[in-house]
Amino acid sequence: MANDKKLVESITSMDEDFAQWYTDVCVKAELMSYSSVKGCMIFKPHGYAIWENIQREMDARFKATGVENVYMPMFIPESLLQKEKDHVEGFAPEVAWVTHGGLEPLQERLVVRPTSETLFCDFYKDEVHSYRDLPKVYNQWCSVVRWEKETRPFLRSREFLWQEGHTAHATAQEAEERTVQMLNLYADFCAEVLAIPVVKGRKTDKEKFAGAEATYTIESLMKDGKALQSGTSHNFGDGFAKAFGIQYTDKDNKLSYVHQTSWGTTTRLIGAVIMVHGDESGLVLPPKIAPVQVMVIPIQQKKEGVLDTANNIFEDLKACGLRTRLDDSDKSPGWKFSEAEMRGVAVRVEIGPKDMEAGQCVLVRRDTREKIVCPISEVASKAQELMDAMQHDMLERATEYLNNHITDAHDYDEFKEAVATKPGFIRGMWCEDEACEIKIKEDTTATSRCMPFEQESISDVCVCCGKPAKKLVYWGKAY
Amino acid sequence: MANDKKLVESITSMDEDFAQWYTDVCVKAELMSYSSVKGCMIFKPHGYAIWENIQREMDARFKATGVENVYMPMFIPESLLQKEKDHVEGFAPEVAWVTHGGLEPLQERLVVRPTSETLFCDFYKDEVHSYRDLPKVYNQWCSVVRWEKETRPFLRSREFLWQEGHTAHATAQEAEERTVQMLNLYADFCAEVLAIPVVKGRKTDKEKFAGAEATYTIESLMKDGKALQSGTSHNFGDGFAKAFGIQYTDKDNKLSYVHQTSWGTTTRLIGAVIMVHGDESGLVLPPKIAPVQVMVIPIQQKKEGVLDTANNIFEDLKACGLRTRLDDSDKSPGWKFSEAEMRGVAVRVEIGPKDMEAGQCVLVRRDTREKIVCPISEVASKAQELMDAMQHDMLERATEYLNNHITDAHDYDEFKEAVATKPGFIRGMWCEDEACEIKIKEDTTATSRCMPFEQESISDVCVCCGKPAKKLVYWGKAY
């Protein structure tokens, strides 16, 4: 058995060094690999399969709300990027520049898209003429590039995969409704598919998107107590429309500017799943996105009938639609168990000669390690039941963790004490002066995560400066 | 009715100017739009939805043969591109160069991937150690960039979408089998999903992929008699493995180089669908990839009960899994018919007051325009039946067209006569001397499309130089 433990021992303990535990899991669970291209990562099959499952589930939810997918060019001419002032200032310092095509220098430099607001605006300018052409509710799945200095797998890399929705509406109200609708869609997706509860709210002006009137965010909480911005939805008002000249004639033949939104989530969601659910043995994946939901592992597989029975169980599970594999390799069962745990297989099924005699097999849940003895004939329905239970319980546990890691601070001493000793979100009132956000960050490294939609007053004064408070804010250290 | 014809009249006749007809259809069927980024196109919802349908069907076929999806970085360091001599010579003249990241010049220039052999090789070099690590059968769906001078929607643009499979095997035989397996998969996909018959064979050395030992191709025939290379599969032997040092220890502990393949298809397949099936009224799409399979169009929709009945029909069709829309806009029925035809809706369902009285509706097939009167209660099963019939008949007609456009040429006079007067493929024997390929291209603009797998002898001498013939070749003008 000593040998079987090697795989688990190959990852650092999360208590000892959470950051190293994270990196170890990314590599040992074979989610990704580093590449020769500095700051860019390789999505290996197991990591990419999680993204495919996320895409399929999220895309279906998009389409149910009337979203249509498109694909825009990956290059943006420099002059187009510069049309909206705040936007170019926000992105120009961190883009990759294409200067040559073939053997010739380009007449105008091109940016590899860091985000595609400018391309969609340029497109809508030609597509939108009348109120009949509205709304436009488009999305694309693609990769984007931002020239980051420090990178970490899934959380921050020079190229990452994402979806970006871009919409144009006749009225300000419709744009605001779509902005909130998509934020809620993201929050529901995180809870129902990723088993991750989130805090929802509005970003402060300091933290909002370059060019937006308002940015809404979902923030999730990792097991080390740090927050992770997990999706954002922006209301642009008519700022981009004015910069790009996107106008339409309404029913009364009057010319108006459109109102726009954009919203995005990225492969960073995979990082969130790892850090919300993972444990000392590796990945724990919610069944809805686990590439392998059930792994059948035969014990003493050379004994007569074991492999045949294991194969029958495998076929039963597959037939009921579960993503199933059979591990009939020549590794030891203990090694196979460790490997399945490391990779976040939701349930493993053990079947050996003794089980066969009793007409049963053993199911082991990845999250609780609970062992369930089950008649072979009922394995498929039992496994299906465990998928539902695991999906449900994982959200429940993560919600309990989140609720237990929110601390209220009423003055600056309490605030600093909380940042230093209590991992998680800190709720504190704010005067709306950016100077306090800056001071808090300098003193504690915590930043304003969001102003929650459900505002309440826990004190009359700003947690930092003591002046009259205007907003309740969730603060925290963040990725 | 004059007004209703406007949409159809807005596209050029294919007999008059096939190239203009093609461009008109791309634009008027709202498949794509030109962008401010020179040489790059925008995939609009209707065009992108076709690609999504192609992806879903093809990806399922890939996975059934053991393919796993991954994602590699979009950038290739210059030094990596240069490792395989033929490969860099083939691609360097047509790549986009990234020279700056953020505000700094890069230490090493990066290429935006034109194809990813070099990245996969660099990855496999670290991943493959033992025969247990083989085979690697990976694929990615992504976009690539080639700095083309002349571009055409879907057929040739500076950025295009594709899939690229890259495999590594223990033996030369296994690599060859995978190369042919994927070519056959592409051919079956074209026939069964796109209703496009192809000619399969091997490329001459002049036409093969930069760095490949052998390139296999599927070639389809457009309605103007020109060939379109529609998918390729390459066997690299151990050439890349030697350049990149990809070695494994076999069961006898001996060190060997792996054998590799790659294979790809692109959004050019959408161009093939347009030019194989389209007609004077616009797009004709095989039901399996049509974004809208059935359009329900109410007649005199303001009369009582018409919209309700149309809506019931719409719900019935949707419930049986058909991609269905209801056009209840305020346009005239004639305009709606034209629009549905232009966009390649497979079947339209007409329902008006008179039909309602008789308890029936009218189904119209897009390909034959045949009208089928059908009881309202049976509309879903009838529509499903028409989908199958259309899918079948479209392949049959395209196959008949292909077979009727293959001409045998026994000497150079016959060959030149055929190129000048007979659109389609020309079969002619070849001496295997590249000089004859060059001369034929100069004299006639026709190129060697492939040496078909099923070789036969139709003459003893090369169709160009008259020296002893070695291979039967399909020649043709090509896109």
Side-chain angles (χ1 to χ4, degrees):
Chain A
M1 283 302 283
N3 206 30
D4 299 339
K5 290 205 173 155
K6 266 193 188 160
L7 192 64
V8 177
E9 284 165 8
S10 71
I11 64 171
T12 307
S13 158
M14 24 194 331
D15 288 338
E16 195 181 302
D17 183 345
F18 191 83
Q20 190 59 48
W21 167 84
Y22 175 78
T23 309
D24 287 352
V25 170
C26 287
V27 172
K28 294 290 173 182
E30 298 194 77
L31 297 178
M32 52 74 63
S33 174
Y34 296 99
S35 80
S36 298
V37 191
K38 203 173 162 250
C40 294
M41 56 171 273
I42 293 166
F43 288 76
K44 290 173 75 166
H46 198 53
Y48 195 76
I50 296 175
W51 185 238
E52 286 182 310
N53 291 339
I54 288 175
Q55 283 187 301
R56 192 184 53 248
E57 295 272 353
M58 196 184 281
D59 197 66
R61 286 168 187 243
F62 284 168
K63 285 177 176 155
T65 75
V67 173
E68 296 183 292
N69 285 338
V70 300
Y71 186 78
M72 304 291 286
M74 72 151 82
F75 298 122
I76 307 173
E78 186 167 13
S79 56
L80 205 58
L81 189 72
Q82 288 175 336
K83 281 206 171 177
E84 211 285 338
K85 194 182 123 292
D86 292 336
H87 190 70
V88 66
E89 276 175 17
F91 283 102
E94 57 173 43
V95 294
W97 292 97
V98 175
T99 57
H100 290 69
L103 307 172
E104 309 283 327
L106 298 180
Q107 289 194 320
E108 180 179 10
R109 297 198 302 173
L110 301 172
V111 154
V112 183
R113 66 175 161 229
T115 179
S116 306
E117 275 74 11
T118 52
L119 290 169
F120 276 89
C121 284
D122 190 53
F123 175 49
Y124 287 151
K125 159 178 73 59
D126 298 327
E127 291 280 314
V128 174
H129 307 288
S130 140
Y131 68 93
R132 290 165 187 269
D133 301 323
L134 293 171
K136 294 285 184 202
V137 186
Y138 291 167
N139 172 69
Q140 69 178 3
W141 294 92
C142 62
S143 81
V144 286
V145 169
R146 297 178 190 176
W147 220 250
E148 306 281 357
K149 294 225 166 66
E150 305 230 342
T151 60
R152 299 196 57 194
F154 300 112
L155 300 178
R156 194 176 296 278
S157 60
R158 287 187 172 171
E159 181 187 10
F160 57 91
L161 304 177
W162 80 344
Q163 60 67 217
E164 48 178 322
H166 296 268
T167 71
H169 305 270
T171 67
Q173 189 195 334
E174 211 184 296
E176 177 65 12
E177 281 166 8
R178 176 57 75 167
T179 314
V180 173
Q181 176 184 25
M182 298 317 287
L183 191 83
N184 287 332
L185 186 152
Y186 289 155
D188 293 345
F189 176 85
C190 283
E192 294 162 16
V193 179
L194 307 182
I196 295 178
V198 297
V199 171
K200 291 188 287 191
R202 183 172 172 165
K203 285 284 184 194
T204 63
D205 280 353
K206 180 174 183 294
E207 300 286 333
K208 75 181 184 187
F209 182 82
E213 256 182 21
T215 290
Y216 302 120
T217 181
I218 52 170
E219 304 275 327
S220 54
L221 191 62
M222 307 299 103
K223 277 194 176 167
D224 63 351
K226 277 190 179 171
L228 185 77
Q229 180 178 304
S230 304
T232 48
S233 187
H234 316 291
N235 186 344
F236 291 121
D238 58 6
F240 274 93
K242 284 179 173 161
F244 283 82
I246 315 172
Q247 288 181 293
Y248 72 97
T249 47
D250 65 16
K251 285 182 185 169
D252 305 324
N253 221 23
K254 202 171 65 68
L255 211 56
S256 304
Y257 288 105
V258 300
H259 289 73
Q260 291 175 270
T261 83
S262 81
W263 22 274
T265 53
T266 77
T267 35
R268 156 175 271 224
L269 288 176
I270 298 174
V273 168
I274 298 169
M275 291 192 288
V276 167
H277 301 299
D279 67 17
E280 298 292 357
S281 304
L283 271 185
V284 183
L285 295 174
K288 285 194 181 165
I289 58 154
V292 182
Q293 296 176 308
V294 189
M295 179 75 82
V296 181
I297 300 179
I299 318 280
Q300 296 185 281
Q301 65 187 30
K302 284 179 182 160
K303 291 240 165 128
E304 199 187 327
V306 173
L307 267 185
D308 284 346
T309 308
N311 205 55
N312 290 342
I313 291 174
F314 167 72
E315 294 293 344
D316 278 359
L317 290 162
K318 238 179 33 175
C320 87
L322 289 164
R323 296 186 285 270
T324 310
R325 296 231 184 126
L326 168 67
D327 188 350
D328 58 0
S329 66
D330 56 9
K331 298 168 197 162
S332 75
W335 182 270
K336 291 178 188 178
F337 297 165
S338 294
E339 208 165 44
E341 286 179 358
M342 181 65 75
R343 294 165 66 90
V345 172
V347 167
R348 75 166 181 260
V349 177
E350 305 174 6
I351 175 79
K354 281 182 196 162
D355 303 308
M356 279 171 58
E357 262 173 47
Q360 64 190 32
C361 56
V362 180
L363 281 68
V364 185
R365 271 174 73 152
R366 172 64 181 89
D367 60 337
T368 58
R369 286 207 174 72
E370 188 192 347
K371 292 193 173 201
I372 299 108
V373 175
C374 165
I376 290 176
S377 59
E378 291 167 24
V379 66
S381 61
K382 190 71 199 170
Q384 193 65 65
E385 195 183 294
L386 290 181
M387 294 299 129
D388 297 341
M390 236 181 107
Q391 187 77 34
H392 172 270
D393 296 351
M394 286 176 72
L395 175 60
E396 198 145 274
R397 276 193 303 274
T399 304
E400 200 185 329
Y401 177 85
L402 171 62
N403 292 338
N404 289 340
H405 288 80
I406 299 174
T407 307
D408 285 3
H410 304 88
D411 60 36
Y412 207 37
D413 282 341
E414 270 185 38
F415 189 91
K416 284 187 286 190
E417 166 84 11
V419 177
T421 62
K422 299 198 174 159
F425 289 113
I426 300 159
R427 301 203 312 164
M429 301 304 294
W430 177 52
C431 61
E432 284 192 333
D433 187 342
E434 196 171 306
C436 288
E437 282 182 277
I438 294 168
K439 181 169 167 54
I440 286 176
K441 188 172 180 185
E442 278 175 3
D443 290 348
T444 69
T445 76
T447 49
S448 68
R449 304 315 309 152
C450 71
M451 302 179 282
F453 288 135
E454 284 158 26
Q455 283 283 313
E456 55 184 295
S457 173
I458 61 168
S459 154
D460 294 334
V461 294
C462 174
V463 78
C464 179
C465 68
K467 287 185 191 150
K470 293 189 180 148
K471 284 278 174 355
L472 174 66
V473 170
Y474 276 74
W475 308 85
K477 293 184 186 172
Y479 279 93
Chain B
M1 284 301 284
N3 207 28
D4 299 338
K5 290 204 171 157
K6 267 193 186 160
L7 192 66
V8 177
E9 283 166 8
S10 71
I11 64 172
T12 307
S13 157
M14 29 197 324
D15 288 339
E16 196 180 300
D17 184 344
F18 191 84
Q20 191 58 49
W21 168 84
Y22 175 78
T23 309
D24 288 351
V25 170
C26 287
V27 172
K28 295 290 172 184
E30 298 194 79
L31 298 179
M32 53 73 65
S33 173
Y34 296 98
S35 82
S36 297
V37 192
K38 201 171 164 251
C40 294
M41 56 171 272
I42 292 165
F43 287 76
K44 292 173 75 166
H46 199 55
Y48 195 76
I50 295 175
W51 184 238
E52 287 182 309
N53 291 338
I54 289 175
Q55 283 187 301
R56 193 183 54 249
E57 294 272 353
M58 196 185 281
D59 197 66
R61 287 170 187 241
F62 285 168
K63 285 176 176 155
T65 75
V67 173
E68 295 183 291
N69 284 339
V70 299
Y71 185 79
M72 304 292 284
M74 72 152 81
F75 298 122
I76 307 173
E78 185 167 13
S79 56
L80 206 58
L81 189 71
Q82 288 175 335
K83 281 205 171 177
E84 211 286 337
K85 197 181 120 293
D86 292 336
H87 190 68
V88 66
E89 277 176 17
F91 282 102
E94 58 173 42
V95 294
W97 293 97
V98 176
T99 58
H100 289 68
L103 305 171
E104 308 284 326
L106 298 179
Q107 290 194 318
E108 179 179 13
R109 298 198 299 173
L110 301 172
V111 155
V112 182
R113 66 177 160 227
T115 179
S116 305
E117 275 74 12
T118 53
L119 290 168
F120 275 89
C121 284
D122 190 52
F123 175 50
Y124 287 151
K125 158 180 73 59
D126 297 327
E127 291 280 314
V128 175
H129 308 287
S130 140
Y131 68 94
R132 289 165 186 269
D133 300 323
L134 294 171
K136 295 284 185 203
V137 185
Y138 290 168
N139 173 69
Q140 69 179 2
W141 293 93
C142 63
S143 80
V144 286
V145 169
R146 297 179 188 175
W147 220 251
E148 306 281 358
K149 294 224 167 65
E150 306 231 341
T151 60
R152 301 197 56 195
F154 300 112
L155 300 178
R156 193 176 297 276
S157 59
R158 287 188 173 172
E159 181 188 9
F160 56 91
L161 304 177
W162 81 342
Q163 58 68 218
E164 47 177 326
H166 296 269
T167 71
H169 305 270
T171 66
Q173 189 194 334
E174 211 183 295
E176 176 66 12
E177 280 166 8
R178 177 56 76 166
T179 314
V180 173
Q181 176 185 23
M182 297 317 287
L183 191 83
N184 287 333
L185 186 153
Y186 288 154
D188 293 345
F189 176 85
C190 284
E192 293 162 17
V193 178
L194 306 182
I196 295 178
V198 297
V199 170
K200 291 189 285 190
R202 182 173 173 164
K203 285 282 184 194
T204 62
D205 281 352
K206 179 174 182 297
E207 300 287 332
K208 77 180 181 186
F209 183 81
E213 255 182 20
T215 289
Y216 302 119
T217 181
I218 52 170
E219 303 275 327
S220 54
L221 192 61
M222 307 299 103
K223 275 195 177 166
D224 63 349
K226 277 190 180 171
L228 185 77
Q229 180 179 305
S230 304
T232 48
S233 188
H234 316 290
N235 185 344
F236 291 122
D238 58 7
F240 274 92
K242 284 180 173 161
F244 283 79
I246 316 172
Q247 288 181 293
Y248 71 98
T249 47
D250 64 18
K251 286 183 184 167
D252 306 323
N253 222 23
K254 201 170 65 65
L255 210 56
S256 302
Y257 287 105
V258 300
H259 289 74
Q260 290 175 272
T261 82
S262 82
W263 23 275
T265 53
T266 78
T267 34
R268 155 175 272 223
L269 287 175
I270 298 174
V273 168
I274 299 168
M275 292 193 287
V276 167
H277 300 300
D279 67 17
E280 298 291 358
S281 304
L283 271 185
V284 182
L285 294 174
K288 286 192 181 167
I289 58 153
V292 183
Q293 294 176 310
V294 189
M295 179 74 82
V296 181
I297 301 179
I299 318 279
Q300 298 185 278
Q301 63 187 32
K302 284 178 181 160
K303 291 243 166 128
E304 198 187 326
V306 172
L307 267 184
D308 284 346
T309 309
N311 205 54
N312 290 342
I313 291 174
F314 167 71
E315 294 294 343
D316 279 0
L317 290 162
K318 236 178 34 172
C320 87
L322 289 164
R323 296 186 286 269
T324 310
R325 296 229 187 128
L326 167 67
D327 188 348
D328 57 1
S329 66
D330 56 8
K331 298 167 198 163
S332 74
W335 182 270
K336 291 177 187 178
F337 297 166
S338 294
E339 209 164 45
E341 286 179 357
M342 182 66 75
R343 292 165 68 88
V345 171
V347 166
R348 74 167 181 260
V349 177
E350 306 174 4
I351 174 79
K354 280 185 196 161
D355 302 309
M356 278 171 58
E357 262 173 47
Q360 64 190 32
C361 57
V362 180
L363 283 69
V364 185
R365 272 174 71 152
R366 172 64 182 90
D367 60 335
T368 57
R369 287 205 172 72
E370 188 192 346
K371 292 192 173 203
I372 299 109
V373 176
C374 165
I376 289 176
S377 58
E378 291 167 22
V379 65
S381 61
K382 190 68 200 175
Q384 194 64 67
E385 194 183 293
L386 290 181
M387 294 299 130
D388 296 342
M390 236 181 106
Q391 188 77 34
H392 173 271
D393 295 352
M394 285 176 73
L395 175 60
E396 197 146 274
R397 276 195 301 275
T399 305
E400 200 186 329
Y401 177 84
L402 171 61
N403 292 338
N404 289 340
H405 289 80
I406 299 173
T407 307
D408 285 2
H410 304 88
D411 60 39
Y412 208 37
D413 282 341
E414 270 185 37
F415 189 92
K416 285 187 285 189
E417 166 84 10
V419 177
T421 63
K422 299 197 172 158
F425 288 114
I426 300 158
R427 301 204 310 166
M429 302 303 293
W430 177 51
C431 61
E432 284 191 333
D433 188 342
E434 198 172 303
C436 287
E437 282 182 278
I438 294 168
K439 181 170 167 52
I440 284 175
K441 188 173 181 186
E442 279 176 1
D443 290 349
T444 69
T445 75
T447 49
S448 68
R449 303 316 310 155
C450 71
M451 301 179 282
F453 287 135
E454 283 157 25
Q455 284 282 314
E456 56 184 294
S457 174
I458 62 169
S459 153
D460 294 333
V461 294
C462 174
V463 78
C464 178
C465 68
K467 286 184 191 151
K470 291 187 181 151
K471 283 280 178 341
L472 175 65
V473 170
Y474 275 75
W475 308 85
K477 293 183 186 173
Y479 279 92

